[in-house]
Amino acid sequence: MKRRILLVEDDMLMREFITDYFKKEQWEVYEAENGRIALEMFDQNSIDLIVLDIMMPEMDGWSVCRRIRKKSDVPIIMITARVEDDDQLMGFELGADEYVTKPFSPRVLVARATALMKRTEGTIGREGDMVTFGDLVVNRMAHTVSVAGNTISLSPKEYDLLLFLIKHYGKVLSREYILNAVWGYDYLGDLRTVDTHVKKLRAKLGAEGRYIGTVIRAGYKFELKT
């Protein structure tokens, strides 16, 4: 079955050029020339991955990414001519999975998209109310967590944080983003709350000697390793 990509790019020639490369690799491509059309196409079709330009008329890529993340975890690769670090951090905080700067090779873009899909499809397994990651199993109905068959006792907030980190596996997330998503935008506590809870999770999951959380730059990249 072909993977389905939504390519959002206002430059027609660039869009056609990228589309040709994806089609050669047996992707089914949906094309949108602006953010408004992209959102309509996303709602009307089953999309596996989005390649999203940032600077576009009517609605920029930031806005599109923000609105899609409210309802979907579909992998998103953002493309832009801007190279500032703040732009990349903004993209990651909004939930982007990859960030590619122009000019770029379409072959490299296709390779990144393929690798991202393999990580998304093959890393985390979901069946009904069960979420599995290697030996880690989360029963969302019973609110239980086990590692290699051993039940791990987590507080309600640790449980929520664990599910959030699994859901956003492989992404660099700022402390502010995690705090807002897990504790809520009206939470007035210290950012160190995130550090404290991640440390507790590392200790509890690490008791099995299998799982670690690693701090990267200004954010967290939560890695579960067997």
Side-chain angles (χ1 to χ4, degrees), residues 102-124:
K102 298 178 181 177
F104 58 84
S105 163
R107 292 178 61 189
V108 172
L109 177 60
V110 173
R112 286 198 180 191
T114 301
L116 180 56
M117 286 303 303
K118 287 181 178 179
R119 293 202 303 270
T120 302
E121 295 167 347
T123 304
I124 300 175

Side-chain angles (χ1 to χ4, degrees), residues 9-11 14 53 79-83 100-104:
E9 166 64 64
D10 63 314
D11 186 314
M14 174 65 74
D53 190 21
I79 56 176
T80 182
R82 298 166 61 92
V83 296
V100 178
T101 57
K102 298 178 181 177
F104 58 84

Side-chain angles (χ1 to χ4, degrees), residues 171-184:
K171 299 177 184 176
V172 177
L173 305 168
S174 71
R175 289 167 177 81
E176 292 89 346
Y177 184 79
I178 297 173
L179 196 69
N180 290 337
V182 178
W183 277 263

Side-chain angles (χ1 to χ4, degrees), residues 78-178:
M78 303 196 81
I79 56 176
T80 182
R82 298 166 61 92
V83 296
E84 287 80 1
D85 287 344
D86 288 346
D87 281 0
Q88 295 192 36
L89 290 174
M90 175 70 166
F92 288 131
E93 288 185 2
L94 289 175
D97 298 276
E98 291 275 2
Y99 198 99
V100 178
T101 57
K102 298 178 181 177
F104 58 84
S105 163
R107 292 178 61 189
V108 172
L109 177 60
V110 173
R112 286 198 180 191
T114 301
L116 180 56
M117 286 303 303
K118 287 181 178 179
R119 293 202 303 270
T120 302
E121 295 167 347
T123 304
I124 300 175
R126 291 181 173 84
E127 184 174 349
D129 294 311
M130 307 299 288
V131 177
T132 62
F133 196 118
D135 289 336
L136 173 67
V137 179
V138 180
N139 186 323
R140 292 182 292 183
M141 179 65 72
H143 280 230
T144 60
V145 177
S146 65
V147 176
N150 299 314
T151 300
I152 306 297
S153 178
L154 300 180
S155 70
K157 194 55 68 178
E158 289 168 352
Y159 174 85
D160 291 342
L161 178 60
L162 176 61
L163 274 183
F164 176 82
L165 293 173
I166 292 174
K167 179 180 178 182
H168 295 83
Y169 171 76
K171 299 177 184 176
V172 177
L173 305 168
S174 71
R175 289 167 177 81
E176 292 89 346
Y177 184 79
I178 297 173

